[in-house]
Amino acid sequence: MCQGSFGGRSDEYLVWGYGDDSTSRFNGVVLLGNHVSTYNVKEKNGLRYTDFNRTVADALANESILDMQGITEALSRYYYSNGESFENIFVVPEYQSRFEQLANDAIDYYES
């Protein structure tokens, strides 16, 4: 959402984030990890968030607990706003096959 690739939902009740374990004491906060390299962190209006590559990587790594609709929408917006290309998205080899499936779904997302 911070990157402008996913508009979010008005009925979203979970916040996926990073931080120390005490952060998860808040209702609706789910931690994906305790540490993110500063190389993968962006800041906008005082809010820190992961860059798109890290967001995609984390989504693929945690797909079993995530609703992938938001990532699919974000990939679709990325594709069409970048000349119908996924250039500059980097996925580790272990998730490459799954990313290709998700990318195909993203291309057709708004047409279905």
Side-chain angles (χ1 to χ4, degrees), residues 28-94:
V29 173
V30 179
L31 294 180
L32 293 174
N34 296 94
H35 176 74
V36 176
S37 168
T38 57
Y39 295 113
N40 298 113
V41 175
K42 304 285 185 189
E43 187 170 336
K44 184 177 188 177
N45 299 324
L47 182 65
R48 294 169 39 113
Y49 58 95
T50 53
D51 64 25
F52 196 63
N53 278 306
R54 178 62 189 253
T55 301
V56 170
D58 286 344
L60 291 169
N62 293 285
E63 186 171 5
S64 64
I65 62 170
L66 296 175
D67 176 355
M68 295 299 281
Q69 180 181 350
I71 290 297
T72 306
E73 288 178 24
L75 283 170
S76 182
R77 286 187 182 187
Y78 183 96
Y79 178 79
Y80 287 107
S81 65
N82 287 284
E84 297 188 1
S85 170
F86 289 112
E87 189 174 337
N88 296 320
I89 295 180
F90 304 101
V91 178
V92 295
E94 65 191 277

